[in-house]
Amino acid sequence: MANRIVLNTVSYHGKGAIEEIPNIIKTAGYKKIFVSTDKGLVKFGVATKVTDLLEKNGIDYALFSDVKPNPTIENVQAGVKAFKEAGADAIVAIGGGSAQDTAKAIGIIIANPEFADVRSLEGVAPTKNHAVPTIAVATTAGTAAEVTINYVITDVEKQRKFVCVDEHDIPMYAVIDPDMMMSMPEALTASTGMDALTHAIEGYTTKAAWEMTDMFHLEAIKLISHNLRQACKKDPKAKEAMALGQYIAGMGFSNVGLGIAHSIAHTFSAHYDTPHGVACAIMLPVIMEWNQEYTGERFREIARAMGVEGVDAMSQEEYRKAAIDAVKQLGKDVGIPEYVEGLKEEDIPQLAKDAAADACAPGNPRDTSLPEFEALIRKVMKPE
């Protein structure tokens, strides 16, 4: 079976990259832009950095600022309605994973109206048309949604998140400008950064990993682990390195999948509204310990990429422990909690079922039964 790589047609990186957006729109001949973002980014002047550019260049746009954290089915439906009313022909998505995921779902449904039932997009939906042309502008260094072929929607009624995987949803253009990330508070920088590290480590150890994605993931692990601490302190160079590192991680995992740290994290977000990056960061070392015997020599390279010295002189047991310890220490240094707030024993059976059914679970290097999912979840429940 052939290995497949799907990436943006064009991406722009570095300080001032957003200045390219008007040129993209004019060159492509788009007439009306649908700007998808959230109220917070508008309020604090982040989204307006882009809309000001549109206005300065005489580009017509409609603003949809109702994107919710952990976007819901209803949120997507509202966006589809707003897009139609605007008469737009392209999308500019400004934000982190929530804004990008909302825009992807909107763009897919507009181009494939037979999938108007948002739940029908779960898994690998057989869409025929590429999503509405989208320019994805990242504001967090974590999700890499601007370069991935998947998005996550929350089903409030069923208290679950579902993953949609579709090569037709990838944004045509990605704009990764560290200036758009400078206003992120420390806690958000930490959680999104640990989400990116989880992408890189799970992508590197997934069943489908291969040489090209290994290259992406190891460089991402290095960039993230060496820069996250300073990025939390708003160091500009570290912020720029994080912006690149999370994007590179997305280039990899989008094409080979993830594992059960993500599938469990999705259930925590759906049930307790736990921030996705926090949930991933809590689960990552737990799942690394669980998977370690099924990863060959890969933990040695993870430890090396994270800056652990002397890995070549270590036994397999030693370098595996060193990799796990390095992840634990990074999480601790940037303020990640050890336990999931609100996790209750009576919820664990349903959480385990949801995690086992999640689209990320099959990629995990170690097959995991329902009782094992329950035991893993129980490890992050706060002791009484």
Side-chain angles (χ1 to χ4, degrees):
M1 182 176 176
N3 292 310
R4 180 190 68 175
I5 292 288
V6 182
L7 302 172
N8 305 115
T9 303
V10 182
S11 63
Y12 296 89
H13 302 261
K15 187 177 176 65
I18 60 169
E19 300 285 343
E20 298 292 335
I21 295 172
N23 295 330
I24 295 169
I25 293 169
K26 290 179 178 180
T27 301
Y30 303 137
K31 302 301 183 186
K32 179 74 175 284
I33 303 301
F34 183 79
V35 176
S36 173
T37 189
D38 65 65
K39 285 183 170 61
L41 291 176
V42 174
K43 178 181 178 181
F44 294 108
V46 179
T48 51
K49 291 180 181 179
V50 176
T51 56
D52 284 351
L53 282 172
L54 300 183
E55 291 172 10
K56 180 181 176 182
N57 285 271
I59 296 169
D60 192 15
Y61 72 92
L63 179 64
F64 177 73
S65 60
D66 290 336
V67 169
K68 313 295 183 190
N70 300 315
T72 64
I73 290 171
E74 294 74 19
N75 200 188
V76 172
Q77 291 169 333
V80 170
K81 182 174 182 288
F83 184 97
K84 291 177 179 177
E85 290 174 350
D89 58 356
I91 298 173
V92 171
I94 306 168
S98 295
Q100 306 299 342
D101 286 1
T102 304
K104 286 178 178 179
I106 292 169
I108 281 287
I109 291 170
I110 293 294
N112 300 272
E114 65 273 25
F115 289 91
D117 177 358
V118 183
R119 289 191 182 98
S120 69
L121 293 167
E122 182 172 4
V124 184
T127 59
K128 295 181 175 64
N129 303 313
H130 198 281
V132 172
T134 298
I135 303 167
V137 185
T139 63
T140 62
T143 67
E146 69 275 7
V147 68
T148 66
I149 60 170
N150 45 288
Y151 54 100
V152 183
I153 304 298
T154 299
D155 186 334
V156 175
E157 182 184 335
K158 297 184 179 180
Q159 268 200 312
R160 62 185 291 266
K161 281 189 169 188
F162 58 89
V163 180
C164 309
V165 183
D166 187 348
E167 66 182 73
H168 289 140
D169 70 44
I170 192 167
M172 194 169 293
Y173 306 91
V175 179
I176 302 89
D177 187 333
D179 283 351
M180 295 293 288
M181 304 173 184
M182 286 304 295
S183 63
M184 278 199 303
E186 181 177 344
L188 184 59
T189 300
S191 64
T192 56
M194 290 300 292
D195 183 21
L197 183 66
T198 308
H199 291 156
I201 290 176
E202 286 207 296
Y204 183 60
T205 55
T206 191
K207 290 174 181 175
W210 63 293
E211 289 86 350
M212 187 177 288
T213 58
D214 288 352
M215 175 179 66
F216 297 146
H217 290 133
L218 286 173
E219 183 62 19
I221 293 168
K222 181 179 178 181
L223 283 167
I224 295 163
S225 61
H226 288 235
N227 288 282
L228 181 55
R229 293 175 178 89
Q230 287 304 113
C232 288
K233 298 175 183 177
K234 295 186 181 288
D235 178 272
K237 289 185 178 180
K239 284 275 191 181
E240 189 159 5
M242 285 298 301
L244 181 59
Q246 64 90 32
Y247 182 87
I248 294 171
M251 292 169 72
F253 88 81
S254 175
N255 288 285
V256 295
L258 292 163
I260 61 174
H262 260 79
S263 63
I264 294 174
H266 288 153
T267 68
F268 290 152
S269 295
H271 281 259
Y272 308 118
D273 210 25
T274 310
H276 175 68
V278 173
C280 285
I282 292 171
M283 288 309 306
L284 179 58
V286 174
I287 300 307
M288 287 177 72
E289 288 178 344
W290 170 248
N291 285 332
Q292 60 182 309
E293 294 180 11
Y294 294 75
T295 58
E297 298 178 350
R298 288 182 173 253
F299 275 34
R300 179 180 61 202
E301 301 313 313
I302 293 171
R304 192 195 312 277
M306 294 190 73
V308 176
E309 297 181 357
V311 292
D312 289 321
M314 293 181 182
S315 67
Q316 190 172 71
E317 181 180 357
E318 288 171 336
Y319 67 63
R320 285 174 173 171
K321 182 178 185 302
I324 296 165
D325 287 348
V327 169
K328 287 180 178 178
Q329 189 62 53
L330 180 58
K332 182 178 180 181
D333 289 349
V334 299
I336 298 297
E338 189 175 352
Y339 303 106
V340 173
E341 196 66 37
L343 177 56
K344 301 186 289 290
E345 176 65 34
E346 57 266 31
D347 294 341
I348 290 178
Q350 187 60 53
L351 291 167
K353 287 179 184 177
D354 291 348
D358 187 89
C360 294
N364 200 67
R366 180 176 183 176
D367 293 335
T368 308
S369 68
L370 269 178
E372 289 166 336
F373 268 108
E374 292 185 10
L376 290 167
I377 292 169
R378 205 168 277 116
K379 285 179 180 289
V380 297
M381 184 168 65
K382 189 180 294 185
E384 293 182 0

